[in-house]
């Protein structure tokens, strides 16, 4: 069994790399030119900004508002891509309707799911979210597998449903993986396909499923994590994440000029950068890969021959400062109502409530009578926290903040980022400097 999978590679293509027909056909070329030294498993995200669009549609539907304009745009966007792919890949006499049957089926199913949601809200927001927003990846896999089959033939290409393979609990919108069950399901499905001559397997990123056959999602931008889950379970030879940047950079080129590429970097460094909010890789991606020593490449789908960044077990010289910006933050501070010190007992209550409200701490600090945390802002979750704690604490918060982190900071890098800014909170260790400012 093991031998069949020798040399298995995992490729992950994010939203930008499947955003339209041209991008999808570029993906097919990358697979042809770089991906076929052995079996290949491809994980794809929803096309372009589809997940955002679905979030909006879901939210409108859930609140009983009109979403027809957004729906029409979503349908047109996907149909346009099918049409463009077909026009470029198929002989002129082929009936495009045949090609888009699967896409239209999925759209019809989604439309029914949205309509039934309007009638029945007993599911709860987060569970309903996963049932609807997961359609983005299902649509993109239908399209991309179509394009791959047109390029390589259906005899070699097969799509598989991630929801039946990545087994999770019911922690909606950030489901946790049941590793043993997942490893078993993935191995059995993939060995079976490869044993029957399929060498290009494609599946959805971002989504998993429960024992009760409900969809779950792994957290926004979670497709990288999906790729790592498949790679871990299949003991893949390597994972490549194809992006619209040349590799792992020391800063986001959209925000900072003069960025530097890391040609090689350790798992440890990358985990920390992802944790602080470097948007290049989902933070959960690295651990499964590091556990099984699977190298991760980050490469540009616009320049696929360029080496990109190799992330693996390695030693490297000290790195240049890395600048990481995490927007959408909120600063919460808690004071006990009787001006008592913030004690361990108080902290236990605060941490418990943060966990219950599902707010994750990005930074924290305490003084004698107050305790402050910086978290990602979510109106709903913050309100929930307030409801839990307001009896015991005076809670204040500011939203619309940005958290900056400089790893391997030096005087010049510190000066460059903080000059002229009011720092609402700052924290410094030997290697890392973090501060919070208004957006
Ligand atoms: N489509 C999902 C998102 O946009 C997952 C991903 O792209 O990784 O969050
Ligand atoms: Mg994405």
């Amino acid at each position: 069994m093991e031998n069949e999978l020798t040399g298995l590679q995992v490729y992950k293509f994010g939203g930008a790399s499947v955003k339209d027909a041209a991008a999808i056909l570029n993906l097919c070329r990358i697979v042809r030119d770089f991906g076929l030294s052995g079996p290949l498993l491809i994980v794809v995200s929803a096309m372009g900004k589809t997940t955002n669009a679905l979030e909006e549609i879901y939210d409108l539907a859930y609140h009983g508002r009109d979403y027809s304009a957004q729906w029409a745009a979503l349908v047109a966007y996907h149909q346009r891509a099918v049409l463009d792919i077909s026009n470029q890949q198929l002989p002129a006499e082929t009936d495009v309707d045949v090609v888009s049957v699967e896409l239209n089926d999925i759209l019809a199913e989604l439309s029914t799911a949205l309509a039934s949601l309007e009638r029945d809200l007993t599911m709860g927001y987060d569970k309903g979210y996963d049932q609807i927003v997961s359609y983005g990846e299902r649509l993109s896999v239908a399209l991309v597998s179509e394009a791959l089959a047109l390029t390589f033939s259906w005899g070699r290409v097969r799509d598989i449903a991630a929801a039946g393979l990545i087994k999770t609990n019911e922690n909606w919108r950030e489901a946790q993986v049941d590793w043993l069950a997942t490893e078993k399901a993935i191995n059995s499905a993939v060995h079976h396909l490869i044993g029957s001559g399929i060498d290009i397997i494609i599946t959805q990123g971002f989504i998993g499923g429960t024992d009760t056959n409900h969809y779950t999602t792994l957290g926004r931008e979670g497709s990288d994590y999906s790729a790592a889950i498949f790679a871990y379970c299949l003991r893949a030879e390597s994972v490549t994440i194809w992006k619209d940047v040349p590799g792992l950079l020391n800063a986001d080129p959209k925000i900072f000029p003069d960025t530097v590429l890391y040609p090689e970097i350790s798992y440890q460094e990358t985990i920390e950068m992802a944790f602080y909010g470097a948007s290049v890789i989902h933070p959960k991606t690295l651990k499964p890969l590091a556990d099984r020593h699977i190298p991760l490449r980050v490469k540009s789908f616009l320049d696929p021959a360029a080496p990109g960044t190799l992330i693996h077990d390695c030693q490297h010289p000290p790195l240049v400062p890395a600048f990481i910006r995490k927007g959408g933050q909120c600063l919460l501070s808690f004071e006990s109502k009787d001006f008592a010190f913030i004690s361990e007992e108080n902290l236990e209550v605060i941490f418990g409530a943060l966990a219950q409200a599902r707010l994750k701490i990005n930074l924290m600090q305490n003084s004698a009578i107050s305790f402050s945390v910086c978290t990602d802002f979510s109106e709903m979750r913050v309100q929930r926290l307030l409801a839990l704690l307001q009896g015991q604490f005076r809670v204040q918060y500011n939203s619309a903040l940005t958290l900056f982190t400089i790893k391997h900071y030096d005087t010049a890098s510190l000066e460059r980022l903080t000059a002229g800014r009011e720092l609402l909170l700052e924290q410094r260790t030997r290697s890392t400097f973090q501060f919070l400012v208004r957006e």
Side-chain angles (χ1 to χ4, degrees):
M1 241 188 164
E2 290 287 313
N3 286 343
E4 286 168 359
L5 292 190
T6 304
L8 175 100
Q9 293 188 75
V10 175
Y11 276 7
K12 182 263 171 172
F13 288 93
S17 60
V18 291
K19 73 176 197 297
D20 54 22
I24 293 173
L25 296 174
N26 182 52
L27 175 158
C28 296
R29 274 192 299 277
I30 290 176
V31 169
R32 185 192 61 209
D33 297 343
F34 301 91
L36 294 174
S37 53
L40 179 67
L41 185 128
I42 303 173
V43 174
V44 293
S45 298
M47 291 174 64
K49 302 269 179 248
T50 298
T51 305
N52 293 350
L54 282 168
E55 279 188 345
E56 192 188 347
I57 291 174
Y58 172 65
D59 194 72
L60 290 168
Y62 189 89
H63 292 107
R65 299 202 200 103
D66 176 32
Y67 55 87
S68 51
Q70 289 83 347
W71 172 256
L74 183 90
V75 171
Y77 175 52
H78 285 83
Q79 284 177 341
R80 174 84 260 155
V82 173
L83 213 65
D84 290 347
I85 290 170
S86 316
N87 285 338
Q88 293 187 46
Q89 294 283 86
L90 290 176
E93 67 276 13
T94 312
D95 187 353
V96 172
D97 278 356
V98 179
V99 181
S100 56
V101 166
E102 196 187 346
L103 183 89
N104 287 334
D105 282 353
I106 300 173
L107 285 168
E109 207 186 299
L110 171 56
S111 154
T112 311
L114 282 164
S116 68
L117 185 82
E118 286 176 275
R119 290 192 300 274
D120 171 21
L121 291 179
T122 52
M123 209 183 245
Y125 194 89
D126 287 350
K127 182 175 180 182
Y129 173 103
D130 283 356
Q131 310 322 304
I132 300 299
V133 176
S134 55
Y135 272 92
E137 271 67 13
R138 297 174 60 195
L139 289 163
S140 70
V141 162
L143 269 174
V144 175
S145 55
E146 196 74 58
L148 284 165
L150 293 173
T151 312
F152 298 99
S153 91
W154 275 116
R156 296 180 63 182
V157 177
R158 193 63 43 88
D159 57 291
I160 47 176
L165 303 177
I166 297 190
K167 313 272 190 187
T168 74
N169 66 4
E170 297 195 343
N171 194 19
W172 313 110
R173 299 181 72 172
E174 196 151 354
Q176 279 141 9
V177 176
D178 174 342
W179 286 95
L180 283 181
T182 299
E183 189 161 9
K184 205 164 145 215
I186 287 180
N187 272 285
S188 119
V190 170
H191 279 94
H192 176 76
L193 288 179
I194 291 176
S196 58
I198 305 285
D199 64 345
I200 304 172
I201 300 171
I202 169 165
T203 191
Q204 300 91 4
F206 183 50
I207 66 186
T210 66
D211 285 348
T212 54
N213 287 331
H214 284 96
Y215 282 95
T216 51
T217 62
L218 305 173
R220 285 303 308 266
E221 304 302 329
S223 298
D224 294 344
Y225 183 41
S226 302
I229 295 168
F230 277 97
Y232 173 93
C233 292
L234 295 164
R235 297 176 186 271
E237 190 178 274
S238 69
V239 176
T240 307
I241 296 184
W242 295 92
K243 298 203 57 106
D244 57 358
V245 287
L248 195 62
L249 304 170
N250 73 324
D252 182 344
K254 289 179 200 120
I255 308 168
F256 298 95
D258 56 43
T259 50
V260 182
L261 175 94
Y262 300 117
E264 189 185 32
I265 187 166
S266 67
Y267 293 116
Q268 170 82 31
E269 277 290 338
T270 318
I271 288 173
E272 288 179 13
M273 285 191 202
F275 172 80
Y276 291 132
S279 60
V280 71
I281 296 170
H282 188 276
K284 283 184 175 170
T285 310
L286 279 308
K287 182 176 157 39
L289 300 179
D291 281 351
R292 290 203 164 157
H293 310 286
I294 300 168
L296 169 63
R297 288 193 177 76
V298 180
K299 293 184 40 136
S300 162
F301 61 79
L302 303 167
D303 184 10
T309 297
L310 174 61
I311 301 161
H312 64 155
D313 288 317
C314 66
Q315 303 284 337
H316 44 66
L319 298 169
V320 299
F323 300 94
I324 303 152
R325 176 185 180 280
K326 200 169 164 70
Q329 299 296 295
C330 119
L331 179 63
L332 287 144
S333 43
F334 311 91
E335 265 175 40
S336 60
K337 285 201 162 157
D338 52 5
F339 288 101
F341 290 132
I342 290 287
S343 64
E344 283 67 23
E345 288 75 17
N346 285 334
L347 289 175
E348 195 176 345
V349 175
I350 295 170
F351 284 133
L354 284 162
Q356 225 178 308
R358 299 180 64 183
L359 285 164
K360 270 190 277 193
I361 301 172
N362 294 327
L363 193 75
M364 59 186 169
Q365 209 161 71
N366 69 314
S367 69
I369 54 163
S370 107
F371 177 65
S372 305
V373 298
C374 165
T375 71
D376 290 357
F377 180 64
S378 146
E379 178 81 53
M380 218 157 62
R381 292 180 183 181
V382 168
Q383 290 309 331
R384 189 151 168 231
L385 183 81
L386 293 182
L388 288 166
L389 290 179
Q390 252 164 354
Q392 207 173 333
F393 300 92
R394 218 184 325 275
V395 188
Q396 287 179 359
Y397 74 92
N398 290 353
S399 55
L401 306 180
T402 295
L403 175 65
F404 281 98
T405 303
I406 314 176
K407 278 194 101 232
H408 312 294
Y409 65 91
D410 52 21
T411 326
S413 58
L414 244 173
E415 180 54 28
R416 173 175 165 191
L417 220 57
T418 55
R421 282 189 150 127
E422 186 200 349
L423 313 189
L424 302 179
L425 189 77
E426 61 177 277
Q427 209 166 82
R428 181 193 305 235
T429 68
R430 249 169 301 164
S431 65
T432 308
F433 184 80
Q434 294 188 282
F435 63 92
L436 205 54
V437 292
R438 290 196 180 79
E439 256 163 17

